[in-house]
Each structure stands twice: as C-alpha cells, then as structure tokens.
C-alpha cells in the first residue's frame, strides 16, 4: 500500500512541474522525463499491488477448514416378479450382513422383525405398512409381498420411501443379537440347506449341486429362494421362499421346471414335493375350494342356455 501512495505522489510531482520557464529543447526533454516518470510510477504501483497479492497469507494451525461431505449415490431399482403380489427392490448395497449363514431371511409377522437373532427395523416399518404381507431379504435385494386386496399404486411409494431412508442413513439393514435356546423369530436363519455335508449321500449331493447351480439363480432372480428339506423314497422335498412362496405358478415351477430337470439328470429322483407351512396349507385348501366353486358356476352357466 505504501508503494502505491509513494508512486502516486511522484506522479503528481512530475505533473505539477511548470515547463514554461525552460527553453523549448529543455521543455521537450523535461516533458519526456515527466512522462517516463509517470509510467514508472504506475508500473511501481501495479508491481507493488501484485506483490502484495502474491504475498503468502499466514494461517493459524488451529484453524478448522470446512470440507464438503462426500456425496452418497443412491439408486434403487424396482423389478417385477412372476408373482403379481410381490415386488423386488434392488438398492446399491448389500442387504444381508457379512458372514450370514444363509442366502436369505424372511419376515412373515411384525413380531418376527423384533425377535432375535436377526431383528430388522426396516422390515418392522415395512410390515407396519397397510397392505404389506411379508418381507424377504436376499443377499442384495428386498422382496415385498402384499395382500391380494392391496393396490401397488397406493403402497409402492411408501415402501420405496422407507427403503430409501434406510439406505441413505447407512445403517445395517439386518442386526444380530443374542438369542435363547428356543428363540428363532425369522425364517431362513441358520445354515444354507444346499451346503455340502459329509453326511450326504451321493444322490443328495447331486441334488444339492443341481439346485445350487441351475435352479437357485433363476428363483433368486424372481425375488425368491429355495430350501432343500430332504430326499425320501425318490421324492425330493423342497420349500420355496420369497415371491415364489405364494406365487400361483409355484406348482408349475416345481413340476415343469425343477422336477423335470432333477429327473432328467438323476435317475433316482421320482418326483418333487413342496413342503408347506400350516398357514400355506390352509391357503392352498381355500384356493382349491375356490377353484371348484368357479368350475361349478361355469358348468351351470354352460348348461342353463340348453335347458331354456
């Protein structure tokens, strides 16, 4: 700043010189010197200002510099399943905790979301949503199954919002707590039923290998999973999970898909049977009654015109 003031004073002094008392040649020389002096004064001023700008600023070691928080990329894909009442959500993060013993976990009641050994706050919120029937976690996906009378247009936005909030928070989706000897609040907890065991016979090992490599990937893609429950007198006992558990085409999947493949590669296999829970057996019986009622109604409608 002092350099600028000094330069300006020098410039004013040169400008205030009275050249009228000097000879013409001297006046010309003095005028040129005055102009050079003004230019030099301006250069000094600019140079001094530039150096002042380039002078390093001393920053206290205790100053805290605010840094922008890293942005978290959130992308949740929604995928339809063969089950019209089930929808698959795929966030960009792992759902099951590392080291989890199985490839899935399923919550069928609100109580199961709070019980040990693997409670889930997100599953509790989803099951508290009106119209949501069950929540199924795969390794990197969430499958939500609704009741038959619920409309996706009404409940899908809320489900999507809850999943987005959970992913944004960065908290673990599935927690692990200690359990008592008889406590098991969720389905799918424990070991993977398709894992090889030294106690397995050659036929059972072949069945598990086919289920693991050829059948499970397709079922997982549809938002479900499969459990091996045993092999008895040529009959393979299986349990479908997730979207496939309540799907109307689950019987077709078992008979035309799984049974055909197992019988083709393993001659000891004579058939496949789906293991049903008590709730599923009741639902299946009701569905059979409903189908019989529809057939009777169609038969009456078909006969009525002939009678008239």
């Amino acid at each position: 700043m002092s350099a600028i003031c000094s330069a300006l004073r020098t410039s004013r002094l040169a400008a205030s010189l009275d050249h009228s008392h000097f000879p013409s040649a001297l006046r010309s020389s003095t005028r040129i010197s005055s102009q050079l002096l003004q230019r030099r004064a301006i250069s000094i001023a600019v140079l001094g200002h530039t150096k002042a700008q380039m002078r390093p600023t001393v920053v206290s070691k205790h100053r805290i510099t605010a840094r922008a928080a890293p942005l978290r990329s959130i992308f949740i894909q929604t995928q339809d399943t063969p089950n019209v009442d089930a929808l698959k959500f795929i966030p960009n993060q792992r759902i099951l905790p590392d080291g989890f013993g199985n490839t899935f976990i399923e919550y069928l009641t609100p109580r199961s979301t709070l019980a040990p050994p693997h409670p889930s706050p997100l599953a509790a919120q989803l099951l508290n949503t009106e119209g949501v029937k069950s929540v199924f976690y795969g390794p990197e996906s969430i499958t939500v199954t609704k009741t038959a009378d619920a409309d996706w247009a009404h409940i899908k936005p809320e489900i999507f919002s809850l999943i987005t909030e959970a992913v944004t928070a960065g908290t673990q989706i599935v927690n692990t707590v200690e359990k008592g000897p008889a406590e098991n609040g969720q389905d799918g907890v424990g070991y993977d039923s398709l894992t090889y065991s030294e106690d397995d016979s050659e036929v059972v090992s072949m069945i598990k290998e086919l289920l693991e490599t050829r059948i499970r990937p397709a079922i997982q893609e549809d938002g479900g999973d499969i459990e091996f429950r045993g092999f008895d007198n040529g009959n393979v006992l299986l349990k479908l999970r997730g979207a496939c558990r309540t799907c109307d085409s689950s019987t077709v999947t078992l008979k035309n898909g799984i049974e055909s493949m197992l019988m083709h590669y393993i001659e000891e296999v004579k058939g496949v049977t789906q293991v049903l829970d008590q709730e599923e057996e009741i639902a299946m019986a009701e569905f059979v009654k409903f189908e019989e009622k529809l057939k009777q109604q169609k038969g009456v409608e078909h006969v009525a015109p002939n009678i008239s």
Side-chain angles (χ1 to χ4, degrees):
M1 188 68 183
S2 60
I4 298 177
C5 295
S6 177
L8 290 176
R9 284 196 298 270
T10 305
S11 178
R12 290 170 185 169
L13 177 61
S16 63
L17 291 175
D18 187 2
H19 306 293
S20 60
H21 302 290
F22 297 96
S24 58
L26 186 59
R27 286 198 303 270
S28 176
S29 175
T30 304
R31 190 180 300 111
I32 295 173
S33 299
S34 177
Q35 292 175 355
L36 291 174
L37 189 59
Q38 290 180 6
R39 293 176 184 175
R40 184 178 180 184
I42 294 173
S43 300
I44 292 174
V46 173
L47 181 60
H49 183 62
T50 305
K51 287 183 177 180
Q53 285 183 332
M54 296 175 61
R55 187 177 297 116
T57 302
V58 178
V59 181
S60 172
K61 294 182 179 180
H62 301 287
R63 175 179 291 182
I64 299 175
T65 305
R67 296 182 179 179
L71 296 178
R72 183 180 178 87
S73 176
I74 299 175
F75 177 75
I76 300 178
Q77 180 182 356
T78 306
Q79 179 179 319
D80 293 331
T81 70
N83 186 353
V84 294
D85 291 331
L87 203 57
K88 183 179 178 182
F89 297 85
I90 309 173
N92 57 343
Q93 76 170 45
R94 183 171 175 83
I95 303 301
L96 297 180
D98 295 333
F100 193 72
N102 206 347
T103 57
F104 71 90
I105 185 171
E106 192 167 19
Y107 300 89
L108 303 177
T109 63
R111 184 178 180 181
S112 66
T113 64
L114 306 175
H118 296 293
S120 172
L122 174 58
Q125 292 178 319
L126 291 173
L127 279 175
N128 284 333
T129 303
E130 185 177 359
V132 174
K133 184 177 181 181
S134 65
V135 177
F136 174 89
Y137 290 158
E140 297 179 349
S141 64
I142 301 172
T143 301
V144 178
T145 303
K146 69 176 184 65
T147 57
D149 58 343
D151 190 352
W152 281 122
H154 297 154
I155 65 174
K156 181 180 175 181
E158 185 173 357
I159 294 172
F160 194 89
S161 176
L162 291 173
I163 296 176
T164 302
E165 290 178 4
V167 173
T168 305
T171 57
Q172 197 162 340
I173 303 297
V174 179
N175 299 320
T176 301
V177 298
E178 294 184 1
K179 67 168 185 171
E183 291 180 314
N184 196 4
Q186 302 85 28
D187 289 350
V189 175
Y191 71 98
D192 184 3
S193 62
L194 300 186
T195 302
Y196 170 78
S197 173
E198 295 180 354
D199 298 331
D200 292 338
S201 64
E202 182 181 356
V203 175
V204 171
S205 297
M206 294 172 61
I207 293 173
K208 286 185 174 181
E209 183 179 356
L210 275 177
L211 292 174
E212 174 69 28
T213 59
R214 303 291 296 273
I215 296 172
R216 170 175 271 177
I219 294 180
Q220 287 179 332
E221 181 66 22
D222 290 338
D225 211 316
I226 191 170
E227 282 184 302
F228 175 76
R229 292 293 185 88
F231 179 65
D232 184 24
N233 294 326
N235 195 30
V236 180
L237 306 178
L238 300 176
K239 173 71 176 175
L240 296 178
R241 293 291 189 177
C244 301
R245 186 174 63 88
T246 58
C247 183
D248 294 338
S249 60
S250 61
T251 303
V252 178
T253 302
L254 283 172
K255 294 298 181 182
N256 295 349
I258 301 174
E259 184 179 82
S260 299
M261 179 175 291
L262 291 177
M263 292 177 64
H264 175 77
Y265 288 103
I266 306 173
E267 60 180 8
E268 288 84 356
V269 174
K270 306 303 179 184
V272 172
T273 300
Q274 182 178 4
V275 178
L276 301 176
D277 297 332
Q278 183 177 2
E279 178 185 355
E280 294 170 340
E281 290 178 352
I282 295 174
M284 185 66 70
E286 293 295 329
F287 181 74
V288 171
K289 292 180 182 179
F290 179 72
E291 280 190 328
E292 291 295 332
K293 186 176 180 181
L294 286 179
K295 290 179 180 179
Q296 293 176 1
Q297 290 179 351
K298 289 182 179 180
V300 172
E301 291 176 357
H302 180 72
V303 174
N306 294 334
I307 295 176
S308 60

